[in-house]
């Protein structure tokens, strides 16, 4: 396990793919939790109206502090309507905070359309309208970003403004895919379509930190073929060194919360989560986000 690094600046990270069911929320649970344990101050933003991240964080909070009931006074959508995230952030465990989501966040795209209008590609107003839409989340994060070392954004298993806003707000994206062909296609599609347009047309200052295969079966022939395809497409150096293997314990987080307590939980962190976090921090060193001090 690496010692705590001195970051040059706070960083916003989104785990992305154009398709759902690729392990985005799993990574956005465990990586921030592990970073918080290491002393980094971390905020997770649940930009998914399904609120799966919020549910698991609520269970985690009550597991660690049974006397403190998890209540949401202000949801993600309410904070968006108010134009400020201040007052909506909840502490989960020491160093780990969350901006929670609820079902009302389904109205996010409708809110954007009512606020800024609707313009399709090719319309004279498209660039102006879409620029305002894709930058809304970034504008809300900036006033609180300096309070944290990392801000992680979880997105729903759909394309659209949820993912576009999160990506535009991010310094880096981690491209996640499970080792099925359509999931890899979703990673390729995200980079070639959404990310490219946001950077080249709307000026997003977002880069890819790495490609992260996960839920890989060691005995699965198709898994190994897809990983080889990913290496051929993106290059070995762009894949995380620590590929996340299939582990049933990872799937228990939505019901049991996050903790190192117990043999199997500790083994999960020792074998999978800690090496992933080490890999993540090493990549930040490589891209120059760490000071020498």
């Amino acid at each position: 396990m690496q010692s705590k690094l001195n970051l040059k600046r706070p960083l916003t990270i989104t785990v992305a793919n154009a398709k759902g069911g690729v392990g985005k929320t799993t990574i956005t649970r465990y990586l921030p939790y592990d970073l918080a344990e290491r002393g980094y101050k971390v905020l997770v933003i649940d930009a998914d109206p399904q609120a799966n991240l919020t549910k698991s964080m609520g269970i985690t909070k009550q597991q660690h502090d049974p006397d403190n009931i998890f209540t949401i006074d202000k949801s993600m959508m309410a904070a968006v309507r108010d134009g400020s995230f201040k007052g909506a952030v909840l502490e989960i465990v020491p160093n780990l905070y969350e901006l929670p989501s609820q079902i009302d966040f389904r109205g996010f795209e409708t809110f954007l359309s009512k606020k800024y209008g609707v313009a399709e590609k090719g319309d004279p107003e498209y660039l102006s309208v879409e620029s305002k839409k894709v930058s809304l989340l970034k504008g809300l994060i900036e006033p609180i970003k300096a309070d944290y070392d990392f801000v992680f954004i979880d997105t729903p298993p759909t394309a659209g403004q949820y993912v576009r806003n999160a990506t535009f707000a991010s310094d880096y994206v981690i491209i996640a895919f499970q080792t099925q062909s359509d999931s890899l296609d979703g990673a390729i599609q995200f980079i070639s379509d959404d990310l490219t347009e946001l950077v080249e047309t709307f000026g997003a200052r977002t880069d890819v930190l790495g490609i992260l295969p996960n839920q890989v079966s060691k005995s699965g022939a198709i898994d190994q073929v897809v990983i080889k395809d990913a290496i051929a497409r993106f290059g070995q150096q762009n894949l995380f060194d620590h590929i996340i293997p299939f582990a049933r314990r990872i799937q228990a987080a939505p019901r049991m919360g996050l903790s190192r307590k117990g043999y199997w939980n500790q083994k999960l962190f020792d074998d999978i989560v800690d090496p992933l976090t080490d890999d993540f921090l090493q990549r930040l060193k490589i891209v120059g986000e760490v000071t020498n001090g």
Side-chain angles (χ1 to χ4, degrees):
M1 184 181 296
Q2 298 182 22
S3 58
K4 186 180 177 184
L5 304 177
N6 293 317
L7 299 174
K8 290 182 177 179
R9 57 174 179 156
L11 295 172
T12 302
I13 311 286
T14 291
V15 183
N17 190 305
K19 296 184 180 295
V22 299
K24 291 185 292 187
T25 301
T26 296
I27 296 164
T28 313
R29 287 187 186 108
Y30 281 99
L31 184 52
Y33 182 88
D34 198 13
L35 288 166
E37 283 197 325
R38 299 182 188 211
Y40 297 95
K41 194 172 181 183
V42 186
L43 171 66
V44 291
I45 296 176
D46 191 352
D48 181 354
Q50 295 180 91
N52 291 325
L53 181 67
T54 296
K55 293 167 189 172
S56 59
M57 288 296 168
I59 295 169
T60 299
K61 181 178 178 65
Q62 291 189 260
Q63 181 187 73
H64 287 263
D65 188 6
D67 296 328
N68 196 337
I69 298 174
F70 181 76
T71 57
I72 299 174
D73 296 323
K74 191 174 187 179
S75 71
M76 175 78 167
M77 193 65 235
V80 167
R81 289 194 186 99
D82 289 349
S84 174
F85 284 165
K86 293 181 179 180
V89 174
L90 302 175
E91 182 179 19
I92 304 302
V93 295
N95 291 324
L96 181 61
Y97 300 80
E98 185 192 27
L99 205 164
S101 186
Q102 290 181 309
I103 195 68
D104 61 344
F105 200 57
R106 283 182 177 176
F108 179 62
E109 292 187 318
T110 301
F111 172 84
L112 290 174
S113 295
K114 288 182 177 179
K115 186 175 179 67
Y116 299 119
V118 177
E120 302 293 332
K121 286 184 179 180
D123 292 347
E125 303 87 4
Y126 175 73
L127 186 60
S128 174
V129 170
E130 193 67 10
S131 292
K132 293 172 184 175
K133 285 184 176 182
V134 299
S135 62
L136 182 134
L137 188 56
K138 181 180 178 68
L140 293 173
I141 292 172
E142 287 302 319
I144 64 171
K145 186 173 177 177
D147 296 335
Y148 305 95
D149 296 305
F150 295 105
V151 177
F152 282 83
I153 309 172
D154 190 34
T155 57
T158 55
Q161 285 295 349
Y162 299 98
V163 176
R164 287 170 70 79
N165 257 261
T167 303
F168 190 88
S170 295
D171 301 295
Y172 293 99
V173 291
I174 296 172
I175 311 296
F177 72 92
Q178 292 190 1
T179 43
Q180 302 94 31
S181 295
D182 61 343
S183 180
L184 177 58
D185 291 344
I188 295 168
Q189 179 184 337
F190 171 79
I191 294 173
S192 61
D193 294 345
D194 290 294
L195 183 58
T196 298
E197 185 191 24
L198 289 171
V199 171
E200 295 183 355
T201 303
F202 299 104
R205 302 183 68 177
T206 309
D207 204 351
V208 177
L209 187 63
I211 315 296
L212 179 55
N214 70 99
Q215 298 297 300
V216 177
S217 172
K218 293 181 180 179
S219 60
I222 187 63
D223 296 65
Q224 303 308 315
V225 169
V226 174
I227 288 176
K228 287 181 180 179
D229 288 345
I231 292 171
R233 178 77 186 203
F234 300 114
Q236 180 72 64
Q237 74 280 6
N238 291 316
L239 263 68
F240 273 71
D241 292 332
H242 184 72
I243 294 173
I244 302 176
F246 175 78
R248 293 189 183 279
R249 198 68 181 180
I250 288 178
Q251 312 307 322
R255 300 186 305 276
M256 301 173 60
L258 305 173
S259 174
R260 286 181 185 265
K261 292 181 180 179
Y263 173 81
W264 290 109
N265 284 334
Q266 184 62 55
K267 182 173 175 56
L268 175 65
F269 275 84
D270 289 345
D271 294 349
I272 298 175
V273 182
D274 287 336
L276 169 62
T277 307
D278 288 342
D279 199 352
F280 169 77
L281 293 171
Q282 181 61 33
R283 287 189 166 268
L284 293 182
K285 286 183 181 179
I286 292 171
V287 297
E289 294 292 351
V290 176
T291 66
N292 294 324

